Amino acid sequence: MIRPPAEIGMQLADVDTPALIVDLDAFERNLAAMANNIAAAGVRIRPHAKTHKCAVIARRQMALGAVGVCCQKVSEAQALVQAGVPDVLVSNQVVGSRKIAHLMALSREARVGVCVDDAGNTAEIGKAAAAQGIVIDVLVEIDVGAGRCGVPPGEEALALARQVASTDELRFAGLQAYHGSAQHIRDYAERGRAIDSAASMTRATVESLAREGIECETVAGAGTGTWQFEAASGVYNELQAGSYIFMDVDYATNLDESGAPFTDFEHSLFVYSTVMSRPVRERAVLDAGLKAFATDCGMPRMADFESVAVLKASDEHGVVDLTASNASVGVGDKVRLVPGHCDPTVNLHDWYVCVRGDRVEALWPIVARGCVW
Amino acid sequence: MIRPPAEIGMQLADVDTPALIVDLDAFERNLAAMANNIAAAGVRIRPHAKTHKCAVIARRQMALGAVGVCCQKVSEAQALVQAGVPDVLVSNQVVGSRKIAHLMALSREARVGVCVDDAGNTAEIGKAAAAQGIVIDVLVEIDVGAGRCGVPPGEEALALARQVASTDELRFAGLQAYHGSAQHIRDYAERGRAIDSAASMTRATVESLAREGIECETVAGAGTGTWQFEAASGVYNELQAGSYIFMDVDYATNLDESGAPFTDFEHSLFVYSTVMSRPVRERAVLDAGLKAFATDCGMPRMADFESVAVLKASDEHGVVDLTASNASVGVGDKVRLVPGHCDPTVNLHDWYVCVRGDRVEALWPIVARGCVW
C-alpha cells in the first residue's frame, strides 16, 4: 500500500497532493444526522461501504446504531471483515465457484449475507454451503425499476424465494429491492413517485410470500437520494444509503421539497490539489486529473472559489478556466475539489487524510480500495 | 497490495473477474512494431510509463531500444526506480517542497529528469539540487497547441531556458513539446497539420536557443496518435508514445491515411468480466463497472461479440444491451472488454494477468498503481 500523503498533526496546507481529505466535523455531522433520522423513522440502517471502503468508518457507523454494512464484492467484504467489521451483506450477486468459496470462508469469520437473482446460482451457493457445513443468509433481489440486476417481482421472485426457503443451508432473509436509478432524479416529487412504485411492487411480493408462510425479516433498499421515501414506506425496514457520509456534486444537485438543492447532508469529502502550472492568465492547471477523481458524473467543483470551474481533466491534470475570474491563483497554491461522484473517487486513493479545522487528526486506510472481484 | 485474480498456468476461463488481461502475443507484436518504426525513423523512444505503471514492461521496452521511460508523477518514478528502472523522465512539472525533496532523493538512485514551465519553480528545484549537491536534467516545457502546461514558445521559453542553463545544478537538456490534444484528432491529414504546427513552433524555439549558444540535446513529445509525424519532423528526436503497447477504443477510432481505422497496433489489453445476472432476455449485467474500467472516453467495447454493446456502467456493474442480438450469454459466462481509455483503466488494477493463447503465463504487478502525487 502506498504511504499516506500526510502526517498526523500536520497543517492541511502542508499535505501533499493529490490527497483525499475528510472534513471530520462535517463528516461527523452527517453520521449523526442520519443516525437521528433513522431512529426517528423506526427502521434500521446498514450503510453501504462501497462508498467508503474503510473499516474505521464502518465501525463508526455501527457505533451509532447501524446493524452492519453492505458491500458489492466478496473481496470488499473480506477486506472489511479482516479489519474487524462483524456483519456484512454482499448486496449483490456472487457468481463463480472461486468467489463463492471465498464467501463461504468469510462466513466463518463474521455474519455474512448475499443476494441472488438466478436459480442456478442459488443452487451453487446452496451446494457450497452444504459442503462446508455452513448456513448463509440470502436475500432475493427484485428489480423494482432500476433495470439492472434482480428478478421481476411476481411469480419469478416467489419461485426463487421458495427455492431459497426450501434449501437447508440457505436462510431466506428477505428481499433486496434497491431502486438505483431513482437516486438521481432531481425533482423531489418525481423521486418520491419512483419509490412509491418500487415500494408497491415490493409490498405485493412481501404479501404474496407471507400468504405462503414465507416471512421477509429484511426488506432492504434505499440510497442517499431517496432514503426518506423508503423509511416512510411502511415496507422497507433496512436502508442502505452510503453517500450521505460524504456527499458529492451529483447528490447535491438533487432538489428538496421546496425545489431548493438538497441540504440534508454536507460535503465532507474533497480532493486536495496543487496548482502546478499557470502558463497564461486564463488558465491554471491542477495536479489532479482522471486518476485522482472520477468524472462519470461530471467535473469536480472548486470548493473555495466562486465562478471558477474545472473545465476538463486529462489523466494527471485538471484544467481550470479563469477567464471570468480575478481569483488570485498561483503555482503552488492548493485548492479543494468536491468530487462529481464520491464512490469511484474514493476507489482511486489509499488513504483518507482526516482534518479537523486545519490540522490533520487521523489517517484512515481505504482497506477495500481496488477490491473489484 | 491485493492478491492477483489468477495463478500462473491457469486457463483464461478460470481467471477470477474483473481482471486486467494482457494478450502477450499482441502486446509483443506492438512492442516490436514500435521498436522497428523508431529504428527506421532514426529517432529515440522513451515510452510513457503512465500507461502501464509497470517495471516489467518498462524493462521490456528498454530491452528493445528505449532510452528510458517517462512518468507524470514523482511517486510513479519512485515506484519504477525502486523496481529497477534506471532512467526516468518526469515529463511534467514537480511543484512543492515535499515532491522536490523526493525527486532529489530519487536522482541518487537513477538517472532522473524533470520539466519546468515557471521561473519560481525552476529556482526552487535549483536550490534543492544545490542543497543536495546534485545536478539534475531539466527540459523546458512549451505549449505547442495542447492548451495545458508549458510556457508559450518564443521569448518566455527562451527566458526560462536561459535561467535553467545559467543555474549550475540544473542541466538544460532541451524542450518538452507534447501536443496532447492532437492525439485524438480522427482525420489523418488534420492530425498531421496539428503536428506540423507544433513542430514549427518547436523548431523556431530550438533555432533561437541555438543562436544564443544553448543546444537542445533532447526535443521530446509525441504520442500513439501522432508519433509518425513527430518522427518525420526533423526536429523531434525523442518520442514519448505510451498507449501503443495496449491500444484502446479511443485510439482505435483514429483514422489512417486511407480513412480506415488506425491499425498500426493491436488491442492487447482487456478487462475480463463475468455475466453476473441475466434477469431478462434483453439484458445481461457484467460484474465490471466504473471501478474496473475508465469511461472518460466512453464505454468499453465487447471484444468477442458483434452488435452487442455495453450500454451503461454504474460503480460495480456494466449493463449489456442484447435487444438486437441472439448471442447466447448466460450467468457465469466470461467476456473480454476493450477499455475506452487504457491509462486510467490500468490505474484501477493491481495486477496484469498475462495470457499466451488461453494459458496464464505471467502475473505482473502494477507497481505505480495509485501513485498520484
Side-chain angles (χ1 to χ4, degrees):
Chain A
M1 188 185 262
I2 290 171
R3 71 172 177 73
E7 304 283 348
I8 287 169
M10 196 180 244
Q11 290 296 297
L12 173 60
D14 295 329
V15 171
D16 206 356
T17 63
L20 194 64
I21 303 289
V22 174
D23 176 331
L24 284 173
D25 289 335
F27 168 79
E28 289 167 2
R29 283 192 294 269
N30 290 342
L31 281 191
M34 185 59 101
N36 293 339
N37 291 331
I38 289 296
V43 293
R44 304 190 292 274
I45 188 163
R46 178 183 288 280
H48 221 304
K50 80 189 186 76
T51 298
H52 56 69
K53 292 176 169 277
C54 174
V56 180
I57 296 179
R59 280 194 293 268
R60 288 211 172 195
Q61 291 173 316
M62 292 186 73
L64 290 180
V67 295
V69 295
C70 303
C71 283
Q72 294 290 70
K73 299 286 183 167
V74 174
S75 60
E76 254 183 338
Q78 222 165 30
L80 292 177
V81 167
Q82 287 167 358
V85 179
D87 188 330
V88 181
L89 168 67
V90 182
S91 57
N92 207 2
Q93 287 63 41
V94 172
V95 173
S97 57
R98 192 176 194 234
K99 286 187 177 65
I100 292 172
H102 279 270
L103 182 73
M104 294 303 141
L106 196 62
S107 75
R108 297 189 185 280
E109 309 300 327
R111 187 173 173 211
V112 175
V114 65
C115 295
V116 297
D117 73 352
D118 178 83
N121 177 238
T122 302
E124 195 181 348
I125 294 173
K127 269 186 209 154
Q132 296 290 319
I134 284 168
V135 175
I136 190 162
D137 279 9
V138 173
L139 299 181
V140 168
E141 181 164 7
I142 58 175
D143 180 359
V144 292
R148 203 169 63 185
C149 302
V151 289
E155 187 43 45
E156 284 190 59
L158 303 183
L160 196 56
R162 283 181 210 118
Q163 180 187 348
V164 173
S166 66
T167 304
D168 286 345
E169 297 76 15
L170 306 181
R171 194 180 77 86
F172 176 74
L175 299 178
Q176 170 75 11
Y178 174 59
H179 192 332
S181 55
Q183 304 307 314
H184 312 283
I185 297 173
R186 301 308 175 199
D187 181 69
Y188 183 86
E190 196 186 331
R191 216 155 61 236
R193 283 192 296 274
I195 300 306
D196 284 350
S197 160
S200 134
M201 290 187 251
T202 305
R203 187 178 299 108
T205 309
V206 170
E207 291 171 354
S208 298
L209 287 168
R211 282 193 290 274
E212 301 188 21
I214 302 177
E215 293 301 323
C216 291
E217 176 186 290
T218 294
V219 180
T224 294
T226 65
W227 65 272
Q228 55 283 67
F229 303 114
E230 282 92 345
S233 68
V235 59
Y236 287 91
N237 61 16
E238 195 167 293
L239 310 192
Q240 300 177 331
S243 304
Y244 72 96
I245 61 172
F246 293 147
M247 293 297 287
D248 54 29
V249 173
D250 188 64
Y251 268 123
T253 309
N254 275 4
L255 302 177
D256 68 14
E257 209 161 356
S258 73
F262 190 67
T263 54
D264 296 23
F265 305 105
E266 305 168 50
H267 292 300
S268 72
L269 185 79
F270 303 91
V271 173
Y272 201 45
S273 174
T274 299
V275 176
M276 57 177 284
S277 179
R278 182 76 202 266
V280 292
R281 204 208 68 79
E282 298 77 13
R283 184 169 71 239
V285 184
L286 303 178
D287 67 353
L290 300 171
K291 294 177 187 172
F293 50 72
T295 59
D296 59 286
C297 292
M299 288 297 127
R301 191 171 62 70
M302 302 277 280
D304 309 308
F305 295 89
E306 295 280 339
S307 70
V308 176
V310 180
L311 200 64
K312 59 181 179 177
S314 49
D315 288 346
E316 293 88 4
H317 300 91
V319 176
V320 175
D321 180 11
L322 295 167
T323 312
S325 169
N326 288 317
S328 162
V329 179
V331 169
D333 289 352
K334 293 178 179 177
V335 301
R336 295 182 312 155
L337 304 172
V338 180
H341 187 181
C342 56
D343 299 24
T345 297
V346 166
N347 190 50
L348 296 169
H349 296 268
D350 288 81
W351 293 93
Y352 292 109
V353 176
C354 304
V355 300
R356 183 140 358 237
D358 284 333
R359 181 180 170 277
V360 176
E361 180 172 303
L363 299 166
W364 294 342
I366 303 173
V367 290
R369 196 279 322 151
C371 290
V372 286
W373 55 265
Chain B
M1 187 184 261
I2 291 171
R3 70 172 178 72
E7 305 281 348
I8 288 170
M10 196 180 244
Q11 290 295 297
L12 173 61
D14 294 327
V15 171
D16 205 355
T17 63
L20 194 64
I21 303 289
V22 175
D23 176 331
L24 284 172
D25 287 336
F27 167 80
E28 289 168 2
R29 283 192 295 268
N30 289 343
L31 281 190
M34 184 60 101
N36 292 339
N37 291 332
I38 289 296
V43 293
R44 304 190 291 274
I45 189 163
R46 176 184 289 279
H48 222 303
K50 80 188 185 77
T51 298
H52 57 69
K53 291 176 169 277
C54 174
V56 180
I57 296 179
R59 280 193 292 269
R60 287 211 174 196
Q61 290 173 317
M62 292 185 72
L64 289 181
V67 295
V69 294
C70 302
C71 283
Q72 294 290 70
K73 300 286 186 168
V74 175
S75 59
E76 254 182 340
Q78 223 166 26
L80 292 176
V81 167
Q82 286 167 358
V85 178
D87 188 331
V88 181
L89 168 67
V90 182
S91 57
N92 206 2
Q93 288 63 40
V94 173
V95 173
S97 57
R98 193 176 193 235
K99 286 186 176 68
I100 292 171
H102 279 270
L103 183 73
M104 293 304 141
L106 196 63
S107 75
R108 296 191 185 280
E109 309 300 326
R111 186 172 175 212
V112 174
V114 65
C115 294
V116 297
D117 72 352
D118 176 84
N121 177 239
T122 302
E124 195 181 347
I125 295 172
K127 269 185 210 155
Q132 297 289 320
I134 284 166
V135 175
I136 190 162
D137 278 9
V138 174
L139 298 182
V140 168
E141 180 165 6
I142 59 175
D143 179 359
V144 292
R148 203 169 63 186
C149 302
V151 289
E155 186 45 43
E156 285 190 59
L158 304 183
L160 196 57
R162 284 180 210 117
Q163 180 188 347
V164 172
S166 65
T167 304
D168 285 347
E169 296 77 14
L170 306 181
R171 195 180 76 86
F172 177 74
L175 299 177
Q176 169 75 10
Y178 174 59
H179 193 332
S181 54
Q183 303 308 313
H184 312 283
I185 298 173
R186 300 310 175 199
D187 182 69
Y188 183 86
E190 196 186 331
R191 216 156 60 236
R193 283 192 296 274
I195 300 305
D196 284 349
S197 161
S200 134
M201 290 186 250
T202 305
R203 187 178 300 109
T205 308
V206 170
E207 291 172 355
S208 298
L209 286 168
R211 282 193 291 274
E212 301 188 22
I214 302 178
E215 293 301 323
C216 292
E217 177 184 291
T218 295
V219 180
T224 295
T226 65
W227 65 271
Q228 54 285 64
F229 303 113
E230 282 93 344
S233 68
V235 59
Y236 287 90
N237 60 18
E238 195 167 292
L239 310 193
Q240 300 176 330
S243 304
Y244 72 95
I245 60 172
F246 293 146
M247 292 298 287
D248 53 31
V249 174
D250 189 64
Y251 268 122
T253 310
N254 274 2
L255 303 177
D256 68 13
E257 208 161 357
S258 73
F262 191 69
T263 54
D264 295 24
F265 305 105
E266 304 169 50
H267 292 300
S268 72
L269 185 79
F270 303 91
V271 173
Y272 201 45
S273 175
T274 299
V275 176
M276 56 177 285
S277 180
R278 182 73 203 268
V280 291
R281 203 207 71 78
E282 298 76 13
R283 183 168 72 240
V285 184
L286 303 178
D287 68 353
L290 300 172
K291 295 176 186 172
F293 50 72
T295 59
D296 58 286
C297 292
M299 288 297 127
R301 192 171 62 71
M302 303 277 282
D304 309 308
F305 295 89
E306 295 281 338
S307 70
V308 176
V310 180
L311 201 62
K312 58 182 179 177
S314 48
D315 289 346
E316 294 86 4
H317 300 91
V319 175
V320 176
D321 181 10
L322 295 168
T323 313
S325 169
N326 289 315
S328 162
V329 179
V331 170
D333 288 353
K334 293 180 178 175
V335 300
R336 295 183 310 155
L337 303 172
V338 180
H341 187 180
C342 55
D343 299 22
T345 297
V346 166
N347 189 51
L348 296 169
H349 296 267
D350 288 80
W351 293 91
Y352 292 109
V353 175
C354 304
V355 300
R356 177 122 27 218
D358 285 331
R359 181 180 172 277
V360 176
E361 179 172 303
L363 298 166
W364 294 341
I366 303 173
V367 290
R369 195 278 324 151
C371 291
V372 285
W373 56 264

